[in-house]
Amino acid sequence: QVQLVESGGGVVQPGRSLRLSCAASGFTFNIYGMHWVRQAPGRGLEWVAVILYDGSNKYYADSVQGRFTISRDNSKNTLYLQMNSLRVEDTAVYYCAKDRSSSYSYGMDVWGQGTTVTVS
Amino acid sequence: DILMTQSPSSLSASVGDRVTITCRASQGIRTDLGWYQQKPGKAPKRLIFAASTLVSGVPSRFSGSGSGTEFTLTINSLQPEDFATYYCLQHYISPLTFGQGTRVEIK
């Protein structure tokens, strides 16, 4: 079945870096756009970034632009989120999610279970 | 950025009630909107895409409507498993934006 499994979360000090991974299975990874979405404790959902099916284009939320980098390795069916210059306000559960299109045109249809990042 | 204003932020309802949640976009987004349900400690689950298309396997008591700037999620005959938080999402243009969520609680 379609599955997304995030990893790489943990506790990190402000200003440090962390890289999240999302392993995909059960679908043809290299034809779909992929997203990262986060949720701070007790708060709503916040979209973070999207990468097109071939990695050719990437889009970011203003709150992470210049600090976070989304990437993918289609040979490994894996999505990444490199997070630099982390701030306390980046503390959240980070979800990876698959789009129904090759970009972001149809929104997220499958979500991972999330990985927790704590900046403290 | 497109602002998605979702209302109400919370509501109390009883099993069997009809519930309506609204999202208003700050500019037109055609029908590029989805509705998601999230239960505590769980990942969101998509219920509706393209504003009014029900995801396969989602009960027919859920329905969506709207286009442009006004959208509605309706739950007919609320069931115990429907108590959760609901979010709208616009994917018309980047940055994608969610509504702030509507918590549906048991009265």
Side-chain angles (χ1 to χ4, degrees):
Chain A
Q1 74 279 20
V2 176
Q3 193 171 14
L4 298 170
V5 179
E6 302 95 334
S7 61
V11 180
V12 62
Q13 294 178 331
R16 303 299 290 265
S17 299
L18 203 61
R19 188 177 84 156
L20 306 182
S21 300
C22 172
S25 60
F27 66 99
T28 305
F29 181 72
N30 62 10
I31 64 173
Y32 293 103
M34 295 294 296
H35 301 260
W36 286 101
V37 176
R38 69 183 180 183
Q39 187 169 36
R43 305 295 297 273
L45 300 170
E46 180 187 16
W47 176 79
V48 172
V50 65
I51 184 168
L52 272 58
Y53 72 105
D54 60 355
S56 60
N57 284 90
K58 309 168 186 181
Y59 302 91
Y60 298 92
D62 292 345
S63 58
V64 307
Q65 180 78 49
R67 299 188 300 123
F68 290 11
T69 302
I70 188 172
S71 63
R72 64 192 298 160
D73 185 336
N74 285 345
S75 69
K76 296 182 178 179
N77 289 350
T78 302
L79 175 72
Y80 302 101
L81 185 68
Q82 177 67 42
M83 305 185 293
N84 297 333
S85 303
L86 281 161
R87 305 168 179 169
V88 171
E89 55 265 35
D90 295 320
T91 295
V93 175
Y94 285 74
Y95 296 100
C96 71
K98 167 189 166 293
D99 201 280
R100 282 186 66 235
S101 76
S102 59
S103 60
Y104 58 80
S105 303
Y106 291 106
M108 307 88 167
D109 61 348
V110 178
W111 297 63
Q113 84 289 349
T115 187
T116 301
V117 174
T118 302
V119 184
S120 176
Chain B
D1 300 1
I2 296 177
L3 177 65
M4 301 301 295
T5 302
Q6 189 173 336
S7 61
S9 56
S10 65
L11 64 91
S12 295
S14 301
V15 172
D17 283 354
R18 178 177 180 173
V19 167
T20 299
I21 300 169
T22 298
C23 259
R24 178 178 292 112
S26 59
Q27 65 185 75
I29 59 169
R30 304 182 305 193
T31 56
D32 293 344
L33 180 122
W35 289 97
Y36 296 81
Q37 176 194 66
Q38 187 181 33
K39 296 182 178 179
K42 300 295 187 181
K45 170 188 171 183
R46 182 151 77 169
L47 304 174
I48 301 279
F49 64 94
S52 60
T53 303
L54 196 66
V55 170
S56 175
V58 172
S60 59
R61 62 181 179 273
F62 291 93
S63 64
S65 65
S67 67
T69 60
E70 295 281 337
F71 301 88
T72 299
L73 173 70
T74 300
I75 311 172
N76 285 303
S77 188
L78 199 67
Q79 296 301 299
E81 60 268 29
D82 301 337
F83 292 95
T85 301
Y86 295 84
Y87 296 92
C88 62
L89 165 72
Q90 72 80 16
H91 50 83
Y92 173 70
I93 195 169
S94 176
L96 281 65
T97 43
F98 288 93
Q100 72 268 38
T102 296
R103 184 175 178 181
V104 177
E105 300 175 315
I106 302 173
K107 181 183 283 185

